[in-house]
Every structure is written in structure tokens, then in C-alpha cells.
Amino acid sequence: AETIYLKDYTPFGWTVEEVHLTFALHPTKTRVKSRIRFVPNPDVPPQEFFLHGENLTLISAAIDGATIPPKITPKGLTADVPVGPFVWESEVEISPETNTALEGLYMSNGMYCTQCEAEGFRKITYYPDRPDVMSTFTVRVEGSEPVLLSNGNKGDAGTGFAEWHDPWPKPAYLFALVAGDLVNHPDNFKTQSGRDVELNIWVRKGDEDKCAFGMQALKASMTWDEEVYGREYDLDIFNIVAVDDFNMGAMENKGLNIFNSSCVLASPETSTDDNFERIEAIIAHEYFHNWTGNRITCRDWFQLCLKEGLTVYRDSQFTSDLRSAPVKRISDVIDLRGRQFREDGGPLAHPVRPESFVEINNFYTATVYEKGAEVIGMLKRLVGDEDYYKALDLYFTRHDGDAATIEDWLNVFEEVTGRNLKRFKRWYSSAGTPRLTVTDKFKDGRYTLTFKQETPPTPGQPQKKPRVIPIAVGLLGPNGDEVQPTTLLEMTKRQQSFSFEGLASKPVASILRDFSAPVVLEHERSNAERAFLLAHDTDPFNKWEAGQALRRASLIASVTTGAAPDTAFLDAVVRVARDDSLDPAFRALVLQPIGQDDLAATLHAQGHTPDPQAIYDASETMAQSLAQELADSLPRLYADTTVDGPFVPDATGAGKRALNGRILYMLTRMDGGAQARAQFKTADNMTLKLAALNALLGQDTGTDEAENFFQLWKGDRLVMDKWFAAQVALAKPEKAADVAEALTAHPLFTPKNPNRFRAVFGALTMNHAGFHHSSGRGYALLADWLIKLDALNPQTTARMCTAFQTFARYDDTRRSLAKAQLTRILSTNDLSRDTTEMVTRILE
Ligand code: HT7
Ligand code: ZN
């Protein structure tokens, strides 16, 4: 397969002035007619006229009204075209019903829908399917479905047809069409300049009662973007559609966002607090793309972080403003370490702006999204809030309507601040997570911190240059008072010292406050100091981080030396758990176990070969010890998590329920499950019900409750995903693969629905000791199913292959078992380009 390089970028030889499309819908014989006006681009040397097109049956093609015979290639077509402007017309036939890849036009539960990002439009019609070709679209949809939708504003409509016009030039990846027997949850919004916008969430009949929260989130997002970024919505209508079969979370098509139903439908009975928060964030994310992605798009797919990093950054600001900023920051860092650091430390590491790819779908990664957002957070920290918003204003005015690059983005910051960002730009070009080591010295009232940065080699990048690292630091005096409030140190060299003067005694430094840079901080310090920070740090992130450091040190000692859980850790955490003055959400985060995969990464970085079973055993012992230490307080703490009144999915209630989950988990270890069974019976919302079921399953019990849950919810596909996932995620390591395999035989299991497939196999891969069981059963089962899935849906298959990305860190037995499965996948006939690229990179 061909590798595409950033350095080879060349603009398209024509501009596209107008696109007219007509769809005559049919499950297996949809006809798509296009009429497109091309005008030669005078700035580009002449090139062969090439239009992308895949899996299309060409019915006819014409230029300026005269039929032509184009030359069809596996990737598209070429044709002889006039020297000046011309009108291209074509008609193609496609088969949505048999399109199981969920890319292009496909069917989900009888409804037509599209997914065009990144390169799906070429499966709909012949077109220059690249993000730097932008045009206005007029679309006519013909079909017997009651609801016929496309991008932009409404045009004529009548029986069996609807027309849509999108006045904003857009790349083809933002095209969308939906047709089906849908019902809407309507609302409206008045923008800050007084424009009335019709809002709709379209769902299948029966889901109408699950739209109110999403609509509220949409309106909150629209208001927030006006208030914080001065960005207003720009069409008369904004439609959201919920689709069951979808490869990712959601898609920001202009004026017609399409959502995985799991990312928009919510009700207290069927959705957890985590679901509500995620839905709110994804609705905001897709809405925010209207400016960061749609009005200003990407020149090419190498610039993906331009829209994704910025939009993730914006949605994290939104969640911080609406909910709790510290809780959001801590949760984001847990996620970053779990997914992005994992990627950055292994064979799939790539820069935030990659320089080459085979299949772009494989680069919708935690590095592009989450590290991309971290880079923007660092930039904002370095230039300050005022200049950040000035730079953003300039970005929006200067590049509105453009297909832009990271250079364009950094230029506006350079212009506004007068800074030279050449070194900072390394965050975009260099892969890998920097390790930041710190030592300190105190003499004559002067406290000196010396930092060293080093980034381990990553594929294709053996040597690393130093990066600009913003390090937020505060100092605490011996009595716990803050003697130096948060100051930003700007590290630019490999090694650099910073001093603080006039201190009465040696302070305790709180370093990398608010996780001011995506680095691994290596700071040798005593457990007493960590416990001190957990008790006194004024920075909520570092307060939590101190507890993590204690817990991590104790677990590593248990795994490597068999040591019992550290009493300094147990005492400190027990104090936090009992401290009613602290936010329950924060206490829940302190009580949350460290992921076993994360511990394996730490062990590996420290030169050990991680043993998944030993990590599991140490984690279990730790959890048991914590439950025992807290045993006397558990009933009281449990009672305090009661939330009176009807369920409200806000941060306050969610925080209490998160703590409920942690306490109940411990209580179940002590009372044989009595409280969890009672909670399971009486809970009136999914958060409490699932917490109870999880607590029971975690103790290898709860069979009756699982059956009861199934009987109650077997008609609700999103709740059933939870049921599938919980059983696999919480199975004992030696049973996990068997449980997963048994569930694949369940009548409700289907690999065709990505949510269901991920429920079972995502859960298996997240059951660290289960997936990496020394029998190799986890590896073999996943490989069996990835091979089956690849024939249906390459995108989701390739994404799920990432479960194997850490295989090289384990012992010889596991390594060779995993390698054998990867090799087996790679040798499959007709393996997709997506999966081939992924497995090849993992094996390199
Ligand atoms: N921009 C979108 C990314 C995307 C996607 C979404 C659904 C299905 C397939 C997809 N390929 C790429 C989603 C986002 O980041 O907002
Ligand atoms: Zn996005």
C-alpha cells in the first residue's frame, strides 16, 4: 500500500465553485448524480484531472454536456478536460445496504446515513475528496422515507423529496445525508446577534424521551462558544441525528451532526453519570467544530490536530466551566496517561502532526486528539489568557474559509505575542513523552530546582531535541502554608535550574501543578513528603497526584518485592476518604485504583518485566487492605453518599454517586455483598444500579443480579452494551476470555454493531490480567474476532488492534503468544489496508 507524505503536499489544480447532488435512494441501487463546476487554479502548474472514487458503478459521465469515457482506476478516474472552466456531470450507483464498513452512504436499522471523514465521500461519488477543496453544496434527496436531511438550510420539499443548500463552502468530508423514519426533539436558539436557529435531535421512534439532556447540552454549547470565543452559529437550522451503527463517537458534518446513539441518548434510568458527562462533552465538541474544523478546516490530513486538538481543548474548557475544573483535569490526565502515554511509549508512537501515513483512519489517535489538546493548553499557559484569546480572534478572522496548517496557527500566536515559537513547534513534530527529572537544593534561603528532560527514541526518531516545557511550581512551608504561589517556569534546555530566594526554611515543592505539560515527572521523594502534599497542597491536581505517587510506589514495591501495602499510603488515603470538607468527586478520584496497564508501563519503564497476574494480585491486596483500614467508617461514608430528590446529572450529584461507587466496592469486600444487593434492588438510576452490579461482579458474585439486569433491559441496546461489558471487564483473569467467548454466542451479540463488539472486546482488552493471561486465550480470541471483523469493518478492526501495542513489554511466553496472533492476523487473505498498516507497525 502507498505511503502518503506531508512533504509531498501539492494543491489541487482546480477550484470547485459549486456542487449539485441528487440522490435517488434505494437499499442496493442508490443513484447519485453530480454536477460540479471546476475552474482551473491559476496558481498551480497544470496536472492530470483526477477524481477519487471507490466502490462506485459509473453509469455515465459528461463534460460540458458531452458524454465522455473516463479512465477508471482502482482509486478513481482520470479524464481529458478543457483548459478553462468546465462542468462535470456524472451518475453512479452504490449499495448502502451492503456497506458494512460504515463509511460513505450506509444503512443502519433501516435508516440511510453517511460518514465521510476522512475519505468516505469518494464512496458516494467521484470527487476531489481532499479537505483543501471547498465548495458550496446543493443537495436533492429523493426517497420514500418520511425524513430526508442534508447539510445547510432547507430548500424545496414535497412528497418523496427534500432539497438542501449549504451556503458555506466546505470540504467533502463534512457532507452528510440522513433518511429514515425518524422523530425529532425540537427546540430553538437565538444567537447573540438575534438570529433564530431551529434545533432538532432526530432519533428512532421510542427514543424521544432520551433527547432532552442532549438538547440542553447543545444550547449550553452554543451559549458558551458565544461568550468565551465570540463564535456564533451560522445557519438557520442545526440537526443532530442518533445512529446505532457508527465507528466513532460523533461527526461534525456542517449543520447535520451525526452521533453514535450512545453519545447522545440519555435518561437517568438507562445512563450513568459518566454517560451524561460524556454526552455533554461530545455534543459540545461536535458543535465547536463548526468554527474549529468547518469554517476553518485543515489543508490536508496531516494537519488533523489543527481541528481536533483545538476542539478537544475547547470542549475540555467547556466541561471545566460547567462542572468542576479540578475533577475534569484529573480525569483528563488519567485518560491521557492510560491512552496517549501508552501510545507514545510504544510502536505506534507518532508526532501530533504525523509526517506520513498509509491509512488516515489509523491516525485519529489519542496523540492527535489529546496530546494535540495538551499542546494548546501549554501554549495558552505560556502566552497567558489575554494573548491566547487575541491570537484566537486573529485566527478566526484571518483564516475564516481557509483550509489551514499548523504554521498558520502558530503564526497568529507569534504575531500577537512577538514570541518565536520555533522551538515550541517541536511538540508538533517530535513523538514520545519527555521524562522530566528533578533534583533540589536549599542553601541560605535560596531554593533551587534543577530539571533535566529526555525523550526516549520513538519509531523513526532516534534522537530528540529538547522541548519548551512550561512547569507550574508552588512551594509549601513546613506547616503546610503556601510560601510561593504557582509560578510558571519555562524550561527550554536539556537541563535547567530555577531558584527561589528569601525562604526561611527548605520548602516542599509542588511541581507540574495542574499537570502543566504532558511529561512523565520523575521526582524521588519520601513518602512523608508525598503524604504532606496530599494533606496540604493547594493545587487540587498535585494533591491528587501525591496520593497517586504513594499508591504507585506501594504497588510497585508489592509487585517487585512482595511488600505489604504501605501504611503511609493507607493512612493518608483513609484520612482523605473520611474528610467531609473535601469534594466527594475528589475523594472518589483519590480512592480510584491505578489502572493495571498503567502499572505495567511504570514497571517496564523501571526496567522490570511486568507480570500481569502479579500486578492483579497486588492491586487486589491493596484494595482489600484499604477496605479493611476503612471498615469502621464504611457504613457512615456510604450513608453520606445518599442524594435526596430526583436524579439530576450535575457535577454535585455525580460526585456523590462516584464516591458511592468507590465506597460500595469496598463495602462489598467486607459485607459479602449485602449492601450492594440492596442498592441494586432499590436504585432508581443507572449509575447506582450499575455500581451495585459492578461491585458484586468484582467479587465474583452477582449472577442473579446480572440475570435480573438482563431481563429488565434486554430491549435497550445501549444498556445491553453495559451488561456485556461489565461481565467481561470484571471477570477474574483466568475466566475473562471464557466469559467473552461465551458472550459472543449470545443471541444479542453481533460484530456488525461496533458498540456491541467494543462492549465485549474493549472490555476484554481492558481486563489487563485477563487479556494478558499466560494461557494466551485472550490474545487468540481477540485475533479470531478481529479477523472476522476485518472483512466487515476495517476501521473498527484496526482501532481494536491497538490492544496489542504493548505486547513487547511482557515476558517471552506472552510475547511469542501475542506475536503469533499478530502474525496470524497479518497473514489473513484480503486483510484491509487499515489493519495491515496497524499490525505491521505494531510488529516492527
Ligand atoms: N471528526 C470526527 C472524526 C472521525 C469520525 C467520526 C465518526 C466516524 C468515523 C470518523 N472518522 C473520523 C469526529 C470528531 O473528532 O469530532
Ligand atoms: Zn473532533
Side-chain angles (χ1 to χ4, degrees):
E2 193 194 355
T3 303
I4 321 280
Y5 294 92
L6 167 60
K7 64 177 169 46
D8 293 343
Y9 171 80
T10 41
F12 186 55
W14 291 262
T15 52
V16 174
E17 289 207 332
E18 289 184 82
V19 178
H20 289 260
L21 300 173
T22 302
F23 288 79
L25 297 173
H26 183 279
T28 51
K29 291 179 170 47
T30 287
R31 288 285 175 105
V32 186
K33 285 187 195 160
S34 71
R35 196 172 78 246
I36 306 167
R37 190 174 142 77
F38 288 97
V39 177
N41 181 347
D43 304 331
V44 179
Q47 57 184 239
E48 183 177 52
F49 182 72
F50 173 76
L51 299 180
H52 296 103
E54 285 174 24
N55 305 341
L56 306 173
T57 304
L58 183 67
I59 306 296
S60 64
I63 288 177
D64 289 334
T67 302
I68 56 137
K71 201 170 131 213
I72 310 282
T73 71
K75 302 234 152 249
L77 61 74
T78 58
D80 294 330
V81 297
V83 178
F86 63 93
V87 173
W88 162 268
E89 286 170 286
S90 77
E91 181 168 5
V92 299
E93 191 171 283
I94 52 180
S95 172
E97 196 177 68
T98 50
N99 177 358
T100 56
L102 315 184
E103 210 183 28
L105 178 67
Y106 64 94
M107 296 194 80
S108 170
N109 288 324
M111 130 193 197
Y112 292 88
C113 65
T114 54
Q115 173 54 40
C116 293
E117 188 174 2
E119 297 180 335
F121 193 72
R122 63 191 64 182
K123 296 182 171 177
I124 293 176
T125 192
Y126 287 102
Y127 196 74
D129 187 9
R130 37 186 292 166
D132 59 346
V133 173
M134 298 171 83
S135 179
T136 58
F137 280 64
T138 304
V139 177
R140 180 182 166 92
V141 188
E142 296 169 358
S144 56
E145 290 68 23
V147 177
L148 305 168
L149 306 172
S150 190
N151 315 89
N153 294 324
K154 287 179 192 169
D156 279 356
T159 312
F161 80 96
E163 290 177 359
W164 292 85
H165 177 66
D166 183 358
W168 298 103
K170 67 168 176 289
Y173 83 85
L174 291 172
F175 169 82
L177 178 152
V178 169
D181 191 2
L182 302 171
V183 285
N184 68 329
H185 178 101
D187 209 323
N188 53 71
F189 184 83
K190 200 182 250 326
T191 68
Q192 59 186 3
S193 72
R195 172 203 275 276
D196 286 309
V197 184
E198 176 186 336
L199 309 176
N200 292 299
I201 298 183
W202 297 92
V203 296
R204 277 166 56 186
K205 285 186 182 134
D207 284 337
E208 310 78 309
D209 56 339
K210 294 186 186 150
C211 300
F213 180 78
M215 184 56 85
Q216 186 190 314
L218 173 61
K219 292 201 284 181
S221 310
M222 295 176 90
T223 304
W224 187 91
D225 215 15
E226 290 184 347
E227 286 175 354
V228 179
Y229 281 86
R231 299 294 112 203
E232 190 174 314
Y233 187 61
D234 54 5
L235 289 168
D236 303 337
I237 182 165
F238 189 85
N239 284 314
I240 286 179
V241 182
V243 173
D244 287 337
D245 302 296
F246 207 66
N247 279 333
M248 305 248 272
M251 179 62 211
E252 70 266 23
N253 316 299
K254 184 78 185 189
L256 178 52
N257 286 190
I258 299 184
F259 274 63
N260 184 322
S261 51
S262 72
C263 298
V264 55
L265 301 179
S267 77
E269 300 72 40
T270 57
S271 316
T272 63
D273 285 308
D274 288 347
N275 296 151
F276 278 102
E277 185 175 332
R278 181 150 186 266
I279 287 166
E280 184 178 86
I282 296 181
I283 291 207
H285 179 99
E286 305 312 329
Y287 175 73
F288 296 158
H289 267 315
N290 191 53
W291 274 93
T292 51
N294 301 5
R295 287 286 284 261
I296 305 178
T297 193
C298 302
R299 187 193 71 173
D300 53 72
W301 291 121
F302 296 103
Q303 320 295 329
L304 184 58
C305 63
L306 181 75
K307 74 177 178 84
E308 294 305 347
L310 178 54
T311 307
V312 171
Y313 185 69
R314 276 152 50 70
D315 84 55
S316 72
Q317 286 182 296
F318 169 80
T319 300
S320 303
D321 285 355
L322 257 66
R323 293 174 176 259
S324 151
V327 169
K328 172 67 175 158
R329 188 66 188 136
I330 294 166
S331 316
D332 279 354
V333 175
I334 293 173
D335 179 67
L336 188 79
R337 286 177 174 154
R339 300 192 303 117
Q340 201 281 322
F341 282 19
R342 171 181 156 97
E343 184 166 82
D344 234 359
L348 299 178
H350 57 274
V352 169
R353 179 168 72 175
E355 267 145 33
S356 67
F357 62 76
V358 172
E359 170 51 64
I360 185 57
N361 282 329
N362 288 339
F363 284 84
Y364 285 78
T365 60
T367 298
V368 170
Y369 276 65
E370 275 74 30
K371 190 174 179 182
E374 289 296 319
V375 172
I376 291 171
M378 285 190 285
L379 196 51
K380 180 157 173 282
R381 242 178 247 277
L382 288 168
V383 304
D385 283 6
E386 204 181 319
D387 277 358
Y388 171 80
Y389 287 106
K390 269 192 205 154
L392 265 287
D393 282 344
L394 180 59
Y395 178 65
F396 289 125
T397 37
R398 179 176 293 172
H399 292 294
D400 187 8
D402 285 354
T405 60
I406 289 301
E407 282 71 22
D408 294 328
W409 163 254
L410 289 176
N411 280 346
V412 297
F413 278 86
E414 290 195 329
E415 260 180 65
V416 163
T417 64
R419 273 173 178 260
N420 180 339
L421 293 172
K422 203 167 156 254
R423 271 182 173 230
F424 183 80
K425 199 177 170 190
R426 288 177 190 159
W427 280 105
Y428 286 99
S429 57
S430 180
T433 309
R435 321 243 134 203
L436 191 64
T437 46
V438 54
T439 52
D440 65 348
K441 204 169 79 189
F442 181 72
K443 195 161 177 253
D444 301 334
R446 167 193 275 246
Y447 181 64
T448 304
L449 287 168
T450 300
F451 296 95
K452 264 191 215 167
Q453 57 163 301
E454 204 194 314
T455 306
T458 54
Q461 294 187 334
Q463 244 109 47
K464 305 284 182 180
K465 291 193 175 135
R467 308 205 196 165
V468 179
I469 303 182
I471 310 170
V473 172
L475 302 178
L476 303 181
N479 62 356
D481 289 348
E482 191 163 71
V483 292
Q484 169 70 54
T486 306
T487 320
L488 195 70
L489 311 176
E490 193 172 327
M491 184 181 192
T492 54
K493 306 196 179 100
R494 274 189 209 283
Q495 176 165 342
Q496 213 166 335
S497 298
F498 301 88
S499 294
F500 300 86
E501 312 277 351
L503 295 162
S505 54
K506 184 177 179 188
V508 175
S510 165
I511 299 170
L512 208 70
R513 282 187 157 180
D514 202 35
F515 202 65
S516 57
V519 300
V520 174
L521 179 65
E522 282 168 2
H523 190 184
E524 291 279 326
R525 53 161 128 219
S526 67
N527 279 350
E529 251 183 29
R530 289 173 178 145
F532 176 86
L533 284 170
L534 177 57
H536 300 292
D537 204 329
T538 54
D539 178 69
F541 176 80
N542 265 2
K543 190 179 172 72
W544 169 83
E545 181 79 319
Q548 289 287 291
L550 278 172
R551 190 190 278 259
R552 192 179 297 268
S554 171
L555 283 161
I556 298 294
S558 302
V559 174
T560 52
T561 69
D566 178 53
T567 50
F569 166 71
L570 294 174
D571 292 349
V573 170
V574 163
R575 229 169 291 129
V576 170
R578 289 187 182 135
D579 186 348
D580 297 333
S581 71
L582 292 169
D583 178 7
F586 178 83
R587 287 149 77 197
L589 285 165
V590 171
L591 288 169
Q592 186 172 313
I594 296 182
Q596 292 172 33
D597 181 79
D598 186 351
L599 289 171
T602 306
L603 283 158
H604 178 65
Q606 293 179 359
H608 303 284
T609 301
D611 174 351
Q613 186 63 43
I615 294 173
Y616 174 86
D617 292 340
S619 302
E620 279 294 294
T621 308
M622 162 79 74
Q624 189 66 29
S625 306
L626 206 46
Q628 270 155 9
E629 286 294 312
L630 263 174
D632 294 348
S633 313
L634 288 175
R636 195 262 305 160
L637 291 173
Y638 178 78
D640 286 351
T641 62
T642 309
V643 183
D644 295 324
F647 179 93
V648 182
D650 60 2
T652 313
K656 275 196 161 189
R657 286 183 290 270
L659 188 56
N660 166 284
R662 300 261 69 96
I663 302 290
L664 187 63
Y665 214 92
M666 289 190 268
L667 204 48
T668 307
R669 289 177 180 275
M670 309 308 292
D671 74 354
Q675 193 65 59
R677 284 193 187 92
Q679 177 164 317
F680 182 86
K681 270 206 194 85
T682 57
D684 66 351
N685 63 74
M686 183 50 72
T687 308
L688 294 181
K689 205 160 193 82
L690 195 61
L693 180 63
N694 284 343
L696 292 166
L697 293 174
Q699 295 312 303
D700 213 5
T701 164
T703 321
D704 291 350
E705 283 73 16
E707 175 57 22
N708 178 301
F709 190 97
F710 175 77
Q711 293 303 339
L712 216 51
W713 293 114
K714 60 186 173 201
D716 186 307
R717 57 216 180 279
L718 296 176
V719 180
M720 273 300 98
D721 289 335
K722 298 182 197 329
W723 180 80
F724 276 93
Q727 294 173 77
V728 184
L730 291 151
K732 296 280 164 214
E734 64 282 7
K735 293 188 192 164
D738 291 338
V739 172
E741 185 166 26
L743 286 173
T744 61
H746 192 281
L748 292 183
F749 178 79
T750 165
K752 287 195 175 159
N753 177 258
N755 290 358
R756 190 56 49 86
F757 191 89
R758 280 188 289 255
V760 173
F761 289 103
L764 176 62
T765 63
M766 275 172 325
N767 184 329
H768 182 255
F771 178 57
H772 294 285
H773 192 263
S774 55
S775 63
R777 293 262 302 102
Y779 301 154
L781 182 69
L782 181 64
D784 285 349
W785 280 93
L786 289 178
I787 290 168
K788 287 183 208 172
L789 185 66
D790 190 64
L792 299 168
N793 183 337
Q795 214 182 109
T796 293
T797 310
R799 194 161 271 275
M800 300 237 19
C801 286
T802 57
F804 284 106
Q805 71 184 301
T806 54
F807 87 96
R809 42 158 109 121
Y810 298 96
D811 52 86
D812 288 348
T813 315
R814 287 182 171 86
R815 248 204 328 264
S816 57
L817 286 166
K819 201 170 173 177
Q821 296 305 330
L822 285 164
T823 313
R824 181 162 73 95
I825 296 173
L826 205 52
S827 65
T828 306
N829 284 341
D830 299 325
L831 194 70
S832 68
R833 182 179 57 205
D834 308 54
T835 305
T836 305
E837 182 192 25
M838 216 56 156
V839 177
T840 308
R841 283 166 63 206
I842 292 171
L843 280 171
E844 258 163 20

